[in-house]
Amino acid sequence: MTTQNPGAIERTPVIPLPSGAARPATAVGALATAASAFLAWTWTSEFPGDLTISGYPGGLQILTLVGAVLTLLFTAASYRPRGLRWLIPTGSDNAVALLALGTFATTWFTLIAISTELGGVANLEPGGYVAGAASLICLAAALGLPLDRRAKDHPHTNPAAVLLLRVSFAKRPLKAPAPLPGWGEILIVIAAYATALGVFTYGIDTSYAELFAGFLIIAVFAVTALGQAGILARLSAIAIRQRPVAVAAAFAAAAAFPFTQTDDQYATIGVNILIFATVALGLNVVVGLAGLLDLGYVAFLGVGAYAAALVSGSASSRFSSVHFPFWAAMLTGAAAAMVFGVLIGAPTLRLRGDYLAIVTLGFGEIFRLGVLNSDGTSGPNITGGPNGIHDIPDLKVFGFDFGDSHDLGGLSLGRFSNYYLLMLVVTAIVVIVFSRASNSRIGRAWIAIREDETAALAMGINGFRLKLLAFALGAGLAGLAGTVQAHVTFTVVPEQYQFAGPVPPNSAFLLAAVVLGGMGTISGPLIGASLLYLIPAKFQFLQNYQLLGFGVALVLLMRFRPEGLIPNRRQQLEYHEGDLPGDIGGPTAATPAKDVAGLTQAGA
């Protein structure tokens, strides 16, 4: 039916697929897949994880079991029983389909990996065949569940088309939940962050690449399914109402990570993730709030690291007799980076777009070449040239030596665990600064410049001064993280601060972290940076193809989720103007304005 408005979009009715036996078949397939995890999938223990033991799942079998149990649970919840109704607030069956797809992908990835590494499907035991068949039946049945989407070219008989609709589905508006007491919401927030800590710890502790790949597959589909079901939106609303508790719980969960580790092997990855994430959050001030494309941002991290290293008391420092306390070294690094931000921004921030990006890219290379040549031969002897500044001593704060192991509550914290906790405090400071700045009048002016600089200037905003302030603040935050990086790595060398390189942080990966996570948000760059650091650290054998992989990932992201993994509400509405919840065609004359506003608020 069309409206009288010539600009309106034609509406078509919902045409569900036949699904009389879809739910029971999905449940049976999920149950059989879960049972197959207790059978042997291969005869030899050469494949990592030891999948040869019947009655005891191991390695990738555990991930298949988790996916199958979640699929079974959500299938049961789709019948809307009173005890499980809270699992699918939106009432959508897409969560079931996505979980079935994740279980299928994890299972078949394992079977293909076994066949590839061991030399053929002959290395599969009957349990492997049962798992493959059961997960396929579960997925095929789940695709037969009713589609909750208006579309134009139905009926959907092509499984690939049905699958695409499941993934790109616009969520239904959430119904108002039953009110919970304050203590109940607090318990939910604590449980959510405890679960997030457990999932993150499991992922970072995976001991081989195949297990981490399987973890990524099931985690991506599970998180997407929770979003489609409406659970993430409900948790977000509760966290907003209980903001102080949510912030405290998030910090406590992050601080508890070192206590889940038996050694410093993965605490090393943790502290580097925090450094990378903190610098990405500083870049988010420049790119996400002010809309300035900076391709040489890693140079500010280098300025802070070199400034702190020069006054750290290192024997290789040009000023080896100077040994600042840590707080003074942090201020020195942040101030030096901020000064460089002003010096670079003052003559260049009158440029816009690609021209500004080229200038910042040039600054990054000038910094790297400058410290490379400051070796006393090609230039002044300041930075040590290609050898850099090494033997940077460990920090000592109030008698606490970060280089020594310390026992706390029966648990031993190693060197990198100590620096992880220190970097967590620095990250918290940067988050507070970013949050206060973005919610201030200056932050709103930055957003106005990002959206339309000409209109902002016409409204009386001093664009140049505010852009320079954003540049200086972002540089200072990067310099703050650089002071900790210098002590964590013992040395600073020019190769650490390139535009693109095999090891983050570098300017390309920092920018990718901001775009991937979600520009203008706090949690977006933190999550984006974590993924971009953790994935290369786990897939060492793919180092030569990292840039290709990230390029493909960004292209797919721009196609299916251009607002990033954690979008802010403004960008989500801009990029999905025609995909309001419950109305794929967008608002028309037949949709009252108050209804559109209500749907928008529910979907955000």
Side-chain angles (χ1 to χ4, degrees):
M1 181 182 68
T2 60
T3 64
Q4 299 300 321
N5 185 353
I9 299 176
E10 182 179 357
R11 297 168 178 268
T12 56
V14 177
I15 306 177
L17 295 176
S19 58
R23 281 185 226 280
T26 303
V28 170
L31 186 61
T33 304
S36 70
F38 293 88
L39 302 175
W41 286 13
T42 182
W43 61 274
T44 174
S45 59
E46 291 183 10
F47 186 81
D50 196 3
L51 310 184
T52 64
I53 304 174
S54 295
Y56 187 82
L60 287 160
Q61 287 176 320
I62 296 177
L63 299 177
T64 292
L65 177 62
V66 170
V69 170
L70 287 176
T71 305
L72 187 61
L73 227 100
F74 275 75
T75 303
S78 66
Y79 285 100
R80 313 298 290 166
R82 182 175 298 274
L84 295 176
R85 191 176 301 170
W86 59 273
L87 277 175
I88 311 182
T90 59
S92 168
D93 289 317
N94 281 356
V96 178
L98 286 168
L99 287 171
L101 177 59
T103 305
F104 169 82
T106 305
T107 303
W108 280 74
F109 165 78
T110 306
L111 300 179
I112 293 172
I114 292 174
S115 303
T116 301
E117 294 187 19
L118 300 183
V121 294
N123 293 281
L124 295 175
E125 288 289 289
Y129 293 104
V130 172
S135 61
L136 180 59
I137 292 173
C138 180
L139 175 62
L143 292 180
L145 294 173
L147 280 171
D148 300 312
R149 181 184 174 99
R150 296 178 177 91
K152 300 172 182 176
D153 298 322
H154 283 281
H156 295 289
T157 56
N158 185 349
V162 174
L163 191 58
L164 181 61
L165 289 178
R166 297 290 187 188
V167 176
S168 61
F169 173 72
K171 296 187 290 294
R172 289 177 176 178
L174 291 176
K175 298 179 181 179
L180 291 175
W183 62 265
E185 292 188 341
I186 291 175
L187 290 179
I188 289 175
V189 169
I190 294 174
Y193 280 105
T195 303
L197 173 63
V199 172
F200 177 78
T201 302
Y202 181 88
I204 204 172
D205 286 349
T206 49
S207 55
Y208 50 95
E210 293 88 350
L211 183 59
F212 182 71
F215 166 78
L216 277 183
I217 293 172
I218 196 66
V220 167
F221 281 103
V223 170
T224 308
L226 293 179
Q228 294 285 357
I231 292 180
L232 295 184
R234 286 278 171 85
L235 290 177
S236 177
I238 293 174
I240 291 174
R241 289 195 295 270
Q242 303 290 338
R243 185 180 296 273
V245 176
V247 172
F251 186 82
F257 169 71
F259 299 96
T260 65
Q261 306 298 302
T262 56
D263 53 40
D264 260 6
Q265 179 181 1
Y266 297 113
T268 308
I269 298 178
V271 68
N272 283 298
I273 286 176
L274 282 181
I275 293 173
F276 191 15
T278 303
V279 181
L281 195 57
L283 178 61
N284 200 24
V285 175
V286 180
V287 177
L289 294 182
L292 306 174
L293 183 56
D294 189 346
L295 298 181
Y297 186 77
V298 75
F300 297 124
L301 175 69
V303 170
Y306 269 100
L310 287 171
V311 298
S312 64
S314 170
S316 62
S317 170
R318 178 68 174 82
F319 312 103
S320 57
S321 58
V322 179
H323 192 176
F324 284 2
F326 174 61
W327 63 268
M330 286 191 69
L331 292 178
T332 301
M338 191 172 294
V339 169
F340 268 81
V342 173
L343 292 177
I344 297 302
T348 61
L349 285 178
R350 299 189 188 278
L351 301 173
R352 297 186 186 182
D354 297 340
Y355 300 101
L356 177 62
I358 292 172
V359 170
T360 56
L361 176 61
F363 163 66
E365 288 302 299
I366 289 172
F367 168 77
R368 185 179 65 84
L369 295 175
V371 297
L372 186 64
N373 292 322
S374 299
D375 56 355
T377 302
S378 303
N381 184 16
I382 299 177
T383 63
N387 295 324
I389 301 174
H390 49 84
D391 296 329
I392 300 173
D394 282 307
L395 293 173
K396 292 182 180 179
V397 180
F398 300 115
F400 185 90
D401 191 343
F402 282 80
D404 294 338
S405 296
H406 300 274
D407 293 329
L408 184 63
L411 297 173
S412 179
L413 294 179
R415 177 179 183 272
F416 289 103
S417 296
N418 297 331
Y419 279 109
Y420 173 89
L421 295 175
L422 174 64
M423 194 60 217
L424 185 61
V425 175
V426 175
T427 304
I429 294 173
V430 174
V431 167
I432 292 173
V433 171
F434 181 90
S435 176
R436 299 292 293 178
S438 63
N439 293 325
S440 66
R441 291 179 60 188
I442 294 176
R444 291 193 292 272
W446 283 337
I447 295 174
I449 293 173
R450 181 193 70 193
E451 296 298 324
D452 192 329
E453 184 173 353
T454 303
L457 295 176
M459 296 302 294
I461 293 176
N462 190 329
F464 174 76
R465 186 177 64 184
L466 287 172
K467 288 193 292 184
L468 186 60
L469 181 59
F471 223 67
L473 179 60
L477 296 180
L480 202 65
T483 60
V484 180
Q485 186 202 36
H487 291 86
V488 170
T489 58
F490 285 121
T491 183
V492 287
V493 293
E495 285 73 17
Q496 293 175 321
Y497 310 107
Q498 304 180 37
F499 169 72
V503 180
N506 53 62
S507 293
F509 278 27
L510 288 171
L511 184 61
V514 174
V515 175
L516 172 68
M519 295 189 296
T521 64
I522 293 177
S523 55
L526 299 179
I527 293 176
S530 300
L531 291 175
L532 290 185
Y533 191 93
L534 186 59
I535 292 175
K538 288 296 184 178
F539 294 144
Q540 294 287 343
F541 63 95
L542 292 177
Q543 279 194 356
N544 294 332
Y545 304 97
Q546 283 181 15
L547 291 179
L548 174 63
F550 288 134
V552 172
L554 287 176
V555 169
L556 294 176
L557 186 74
M558 292 301 99
R559 171 59 182 86
F560 295 104
R561 198 173 178 86
E563 69 274 21
L565 297 177
I566 311 293
N568 62 30
R569 183 174 300 181
R570 179 192 300 271
Q571 289 180 329
Q572 192 172 28
L573 294 178
E574 286 178 356
Y575 285 117
H576 298 282
E577 185 177 357
D579 293 326
L580 289 175
D583 187 12
I584 190 174
T588 65
T591 306
K594 62 180 182 180
D595 293 342
V596 173
L599 292 176
T600 301
Q601 184 177 6

